[in-house]
Amino acid sequence: MTYCVGMMLDRGMVFMSDTRTNSGVDNISTFRKMVIWEKPGTACITVMTAGNLATTQAVISLLEERSKSPFERDPDILSASSMFQVATMIGNTLREVISTHADEGQRADAAFNATILVGGQIAGGEPRLFLIYPEGNFIEASADTPFFQIGETKYGRPILLRAYDPAMSYEEAIKLLLVSFDSTIKANLSVSLPLDVHVYEKGALTTGRRFRITGDDPYYQEISAGWGDALKAAFAQLPEFSFD
């Protein structure tokens, strides 16, 4: 399992993903789930993946090859004229990979399924964020749905719903996402640090601040402990229930 969030803000976008791919008792592994393609001044595209690792790796590898090799540039993600076209390309590639694997193996379950978040901006357009399903179809973020989650979403979603504000700063957005991720990590062993972060500024058309947060990061530890203490304090201040 995994947990990834893409968030739209008035000033840009923030992406965060965990890195755990296996959480067996004696087999814990990590893998980067965030990929960024850019053509400075023309396009900046961030992709995050959840689901079957072989499927997501195949999709990313195909997109990588088609954006580099002159003989395989069909489709070339960095030549798309809009983020809608980018989402369509990725959706078609995801459907292609899943259908190819399914023909060779298990058809009865969702063993090869994956979901993808893709967000970014192409010159001449606004920043856009899409959630792509295993079938290859997708939905777009809007004012009513300003962020998307994939993977283990249920533990961190209530926090985002209560505290999200499109006018918040990047720093506030990262703090909010860290609380959401910390709550998920505490509740589910299949999600874990390190966390990869990308902050894209509207109109930049190039990779923004990109960094990794590890378990020994002082700020993360402060957020994790502080959120737990704040919840206990808030709970203690609520009125007592009475059977009368």
Side-chain angles (χ1 to χ4, degrees), residues 55 86 99-100 103 138-139 166 196 216 244:
T55 297
V86 169
S99 63
T100 299
D103 287 340
F138 52 83
I139 57 175
D196 289 322
D216 59 358
D244 297 329

Side-chain angles (χ1 to χ4, degrees), residues 5-8 129 141-142 145-149 157 160-161 164:
V5 182
M7 179 178 289
M8 300 285 294
L129 176 66
S142 65
T145 309
F147 60 83
F148 284 139
Q149 304 163 279
R157 183 172 180 79
L160 299 180
L161 288 173
Y164 169 81

Side-chain angles (χ1 to χ4, degrees):
M1 189 56 75
T2 188
Y3 184 39
C4 303
V5 182
M7 179 178 289
M8 300 285 294
L9 300 173
D10 290 343
R11 62 192 66 196
M13 312 173 78
V14 179
F15 305 90
M16 186 176 290
S17 67
D18 87 314
T19 53
R20 176 159 288 181
T21 58
N22 192 4
S23 58
V25 174
D26 59 353
N27 184 19
I28 296 175
S29 57
T30 63
F31 191 86
R32 185 179 294 275
K33 303 167 188 176
M34 180 187 296
V35 178
I36 301 174
W37 287 283
E38 67 169 348
K39 186 185 292 184
T42 300
C44 183
I45 301 164
T46 301
V47 170
M48 297 185 293
T49 60
N52 181 272
L53 184 59
T55 297
T56 57
Q57 281 188 301
V59 171
I60 296 301
S61 295
L62 280 171
L63 293 171
E64 286 275 11
E65 289 299 314
R66 291 167 177 173
S67 67
K68 293 178 180 179
S69 171
F71 304 105
E72 294 290 342
R73 290 178 179 170
D74 184 23
D76 175 9
I77 192 171
L78 288 173
S79 295
S81 60
S82 69
M83 284 301 301
F84 182 87
Q85 288 187 8
V86 169
T88 300
M89 290 178 187
I90 295 176
N92 290 340
T93 304
L94 176 59
R95 185 174 65 247
E96 171 191 338
V97 169
I98 290 176
S99 63
T100 299
H101 288 182
D103 287 340
E104 298 175 352
Q106 305 172 21
R107 284 180 174 271
D109 56 27
F112 301 106
N113 280 355
T115 51
I116 295 177
L117 288 182
V118 55
Q121 186 175 16
I122 291 177
E126 293 293 311
R128 301 173 74 177
L129 176 66
F130 298 89
L131 168 57
I132 303 174
Y133 296 104
E135 295 77 11
N137 57 341
F138 52 83
I139 57 175
E140 182 175 3
S142 65
D144 293 327
T145 309
F147 60 83
F148 284 139
Q149 304 163 279
I150 55 175
E152 189 57 79
T153 63
K154 56 183 176 290
Y155 301 107
R157 183 172 180 79
I159 295 165
L160 299 180
L161 288 173
R162 286 178 177 271
Y164 169 81
D165 182 346
M168 64 175 39
S169 66
Y170 294 130
E171 292 83 357
E172 290 172 323
I174 291 172
K175 179 170 67 172
L176 174 60
L177 287 172
L178 284 178
V179 172
S180 177
F181 271 76
D182 181 66
S183 298
T184 304
I185 290 168
K186 290 289 194 297
N188 194 310
L189 290 175
S190 68
V191 178
S192 184
L193 291 94
L195 307 177
D196 289 322
V197 184
H198 178 217
V199 177
Y200 175 76
E201 186 173 354
K202 183 177 180 179
L205 297 174
T206 189
T207 302
R209 294 182 180 88
R210 186 180 185 184
F211 53 93
R212 173 167 281 194
I213 298 173
T214 60
D216 59 358
D217 183 278
Y219 181 70
Y220 173 77
Q221 293 180 345
E222 184 178 357
I223 288 294
S224 180
W227 179 245
D229 292 341
L231 281 177
K232 292 175 184 177
F235 179 75
Q237 293 175 8
L238 292 174
E240 295 294 329
F241 173 78
S242 173
F243 285 103
D244 297 329

